[in-house]
Amino acid sequence: MATSRVWEKLEALDARIIYLILWIVILLPFIYPIGLPVSIGPQALAYAKAIDELPAGSIVVVSFDFSFGGLGELYPIAVATLHHLFTRPVKVVIIAIWVDGPPIADMVLKELKPEQPPYNKKYGVDWIFLGYTPGGETAMAALGKDFWSTLPTDYYYKKSVSEYPIMQGLRSAKDVALLVSFETGTPGADEWVRQWYVPYKVPMIVGCIGVMAPTIAPYLAGGQIKGALPGLRAAAEYELIIGRKGLGVASADVLSTSHIVFVLFVIIGNIAYFMRRRSK
Amino acid sequence: MAWFRRVEIPIAITIIFALIQVIPYFVEMGTAVEAIQDKIVRWSLVVGTGALLVGLASLLLIHVPRVTRRRTYWGYSLVLIIVMFLMAILGLPFPELGLGLTGYWFKFLYDNVLVPLSSSLYGILAFYITSAAYRAFKARSLEAALLLISGTILVLRNAPLGTFLIPQIADLGDWLYNIPNMAINRAIMIGGGLGAMVLGIRVLLGYERGYLRGGE
Amino acid sequence: MSVALFGILLGVFFTLAVYTFLYKENPYSRFAEYVFIGAATGYGIAYDLDWLKGQWVGVWSKTIGDSIAFVLALLLSVLWYFRFSKKYFFLYRIPLAITVGTSIGLALRGVVFAQVLEQVRATAALKVVGVDAWTAFNNFVTMLIVVCTLAYFTFTLKQEAAFWKPVNKFARYAMMIGFGAAYGYTVLTRMAVFIGRVQFLLGIPPNPVEAKMFFPWVALILLGTLLGYDYYKKTKK
Amino acid sequence: MDITPLLLQQIFKSGRVSGMVFLLIVAVSAAYFIRRGKAGKIPYLRKVPGLDAIDEAVGRATEMGRPVFCSHGIASIADATYGPQTIAGLAVLGYVAQLCAKYGVRLIVPVRQLVVYPIAREIVENAYRMEGKMDQFRVEDIVYLSGWQFGYSLGYMSLMQREKAGANIMVGGYWAESLQLSEVGYMVGAMQVSGTANIHQIPFFVVATDYTLIGEEIFAAGAYLSKDAAMIGSIVSQDIGKYISIALIIVSFILLLFGNDFIVKMLRW
């Protein structure tokens, strides 16, 4: 009887104790780092390969399709991806389908400073930032057909895109060698595949929050998406591949502690559940 | 009912605008038609911008009466209204006046209010998912057990410590992701795609009116 | 205090104000909630207006015909507002019909390929001969799961034949294993977002380092006032 | 083998013929079955098991003397991709309201979308009228909580705790709140039936609630309960699309055993 009470109590543990433990295991590794190695998976390798194999001079469209809620996972992915792109001799056109995209892209660009060494990329020639288009899937279709009239001005200077040399080679999705999209949900991969892959066969890679990972699996297997970074773990792997350690690698230890504690909670919860049932 | 109030009018409009996008996609009609098709897509984007007005208006409809009638939490509602207008006005596209998306104060509010709030609110789910896992993720049945085991493997796979202690967990996790997960998502995707197709067809046939409901 | 520093303090305050909700619903978390809704809506409006201005300057003001079309679109977009009118509700359906029609048309033509035929083709192309045994096994399992899950989601046949039972069981078990992946990745995302916030509070670059300075003090004040108030109420009783 | 696209490419676009044919088959069958349904010939539709669970949940709440909660997700009905989930949820609401009116148990409907509010009210009101129990209909129990996702979720959770929900039926489009709602529902001891087509939320419903309608089952349930000819006809034509898909996969599988990749190629026409 008494033991069953213990299990019952353990099962009905005050949630605030769980919250407190989670706070502690996420704060501690930042103060006392463990530095566990991160093994690299095939998805991150495929993602990096898609960028490495771009021929010189090709145009890459990078779309920020996420809300602030996705910053935790997608910020490190975006920084690492743009770093990788800026170190390669390709032209980078940055856009956003989600309204939160431009200020986030701005944060990323402020951190990287593409005009300065080691990149030395010239704005308007090697890269450009065009800003946001409302309308979701409709906007993707419009961009695919005609960049110039869907995004007539750039984000920073509000000048006509026709004045920039980089835009002379980009009229429609047919001119795009690779689409990179950072996503938290809808509109996202489904819509890009429908509006860019199906009609124009634009190769695409995706950095997405973990929640989305299962739903893009069919596109990865079917070849519509060439590579993906699903979530923070993959971000850490990718940072190691390109040799620029950032927030992804910095989060590796916390990722371990938080996930292991999560699993422990599930195990304890199950033990309590079964013990209570047995002692009844 | 006056003829212009009839529901057939919006249905006809929906059908026409949908057909404009569908037919020239399959049937060769020349570049002139495609140019018009493209223009209509961009035009409909402009029409769509007004939808935000609805968001603004519905917030005002809820919160203005709360303030004027001094209902519970009316002070918070007042804060909401002020912040909303402040943000919208600071972001007006007049850089000459120091306003606009790249303006100093708009960015100030964005960086220091909107970003911390939005991501912290989503971050709260980390706590809920843990407490819910503790309470609810129990192997009550065979199906729940299967979900639990495969889920736990994936959780361990995403933890560097998990792959460090048990290197095989990476391969196992990837297999679960690439085979069963991919296959069921593919089947569900095909089913969902068919559902979306049939929804589109229902619209084209004028049978789908769900989106027009409400009002009277 | 400089404006930039004040901004960081605001960020720390709002982050912690949200998390006080974990203790219980309170004025700090409520304040954070309402500020968020207001700011997010205002922000969306600003972005749409900016985009509209860009469209006008960059595209639609070039010819008279385009200008008329643009003004017409703006007039139509004002009709959204009539959603709140009992009398003129029907007007709101016009812009709705235009946007829904276009987006359904666009989705319809894309869905057939991306979500249906490309996926059927990818499954139909799976081989079990001429490949190694492991690939053959995986291909066969994939094909089996896709077919059984598709069959599970049919509703208009009387499922009387004996084979339906194992097919449905298999599909359900496969789905549970597959959903496990969704579960695992959801945990990753939820944790990652919170980890991002902790990195901000601890001032880990590229976050501003000054946040570290404010974090303990703001946390102390918020928690102190909340716990203190509860303690005070308890002792008063 | 590649003659067909050559012949057709004057009129049709190459690479899009297979899609057009598939679309036409589904479209024609949808039109046919919807029209037939409207004429009164309703096709057979399998009853989804979860529907019995709804009866049981309402029954249990009645025995316990606690209210029934029934929600239809957080998607707008006007949304081109998620709207149908809300429509299915509202069909379930109609059924639940009828049961509640019959058993005389209190029904609480938390609403997130302003657009949906009048529709939900009308549905519940109709159900009570049909059962002749208009005196028991309480308009204040159809509650608009908040347009903001977590505001809605917070309101829903505290409402369930305050009113001690006996049953909680959630069918429609749910996102991150799925976990919060089902956790609180479990804590207050409500029997819970859930259903959503948002794949990423199904796991949380499956483990935390007593019965879950998975994916498209919610549309079938909605059609079954509403007896709406257009909805049932659509399900028949979707099934036809699935039979074609299954047939293509299996036939191609057999052909590939003999090294013939005709079907794989055909799908690229």
Side-chain angles (χ1 to χ4, degrees), chain D residues 11 14 85-86 153 235:
Chain D
I11 317 165
S14 135
Q85 294 196 48
T86 305
S153 171
I235 290 189

Side-chain angles (χ1 to χ4, degrees), chain D residues 62-77:
Chain D
T62 315
E63 280 169 23
M64 291 193 287
R66 294 210 211 149
V68 172
F69 277 66
C70 183
S71 59
H72 43 265
I74 63 165
S76 166
I77 200 164

Side-chain angles (χ1 to χ4, degrees), chain A residues 10-11 15 36-37 43 68 103-104 106 134-135 138 145 149-150 213-214 233 252 256 259 262 265 269-270 273-274, chain B residues 37 41-42 45 107 110 115 118 127 130 133-135 137-140 155 157-161 163-164 177 181 185:
Chain A
L10 187 61
E11 248 200 306
L36 286 170
Q43 291 188 29
F68 322 107
I104 294 170
D106 190 46
T138 313
K145 280 241 163 150
S149 37
T150 314
R233 157 91 197 216
S256 292
H259 277 57
F262 181 90
F265 274 130
N270 271 282
Y273 171 70
F274 281 105
Chain B
Q37 190 191 16
V41 171
R42 276 182 290 112
L45 286 176
K107 285 204 62 68
Y110 167 81
V115 172
S118 172
F127 297 94
T130 313
Y134 183 75
R135 266 186 239 277
F137 288 134
K138 309 262 164 78
R140 282 175 234 271
V155 172
R157 193 254 171 272
N158 281 329
L161 185 62
T163 49
F164 176 72
Y177 176 81
N181 165 65
N185 272 295

Side-chain angles (χ1 to χ4, degrees), chain D residues 83-114:
Chain D
Q85 294 196 48
T86 305
I87 296 173
L90 288 169
V92 172
L93 173 65
Y95 178 69
V96 172
Q98 228 172 331
L99 283 178
C100 289
K102 198 154 72 186
Y103 296 150
V105 58
R106 186 174 163 209
L107 169 68
I108 298 173
V109 185
V111 182
R112 187 241 182 159
Q113 297 279 352
L114 269 180

Side-chain angles (χ1 to χ4, degrees), chain B residues 24-28 34 58 62 125 128-129 132 135-137 140 185 188 191 198-199 201-202 207 213, chain D residues 11-13 16 20 27 34-35 38 80 114 119 144 176 179-180 183 186 199 204 207 216 234 238 242:
Chain B
Y25 189 76
F26 293 105
V27 183
E28 199 66 71
E34 280 178 22
S58 37
I62 296 165
L125 284 165
Y128 288 148
I129 207 173
R135 266 186 239 277
F137 288 134
R140 282 175 234 271
N185 272 295
I188 291 172
V198 173
L199 175 76
I201 290 157
R202 269 197 333 238
Y207 287 125
R213 282 174 72 167
Chain D
I11 317 165
F12 303 113
K13 293 184 177 169
R16 292 180 185 172
M20 194 182 64
I34 293 172
R35 287 184 77 100
K38 295 244 173 209
L114 269 180
I119 307 171
Y144 173 80
L179 183 68
Q180 308 171 357
E183 197 204 350
Y186 175 72
I199 308 168
F204 304 106
V207 271
E216 286 175 78
S234 310
Q238 284 172 53
K242 280 174 206 155

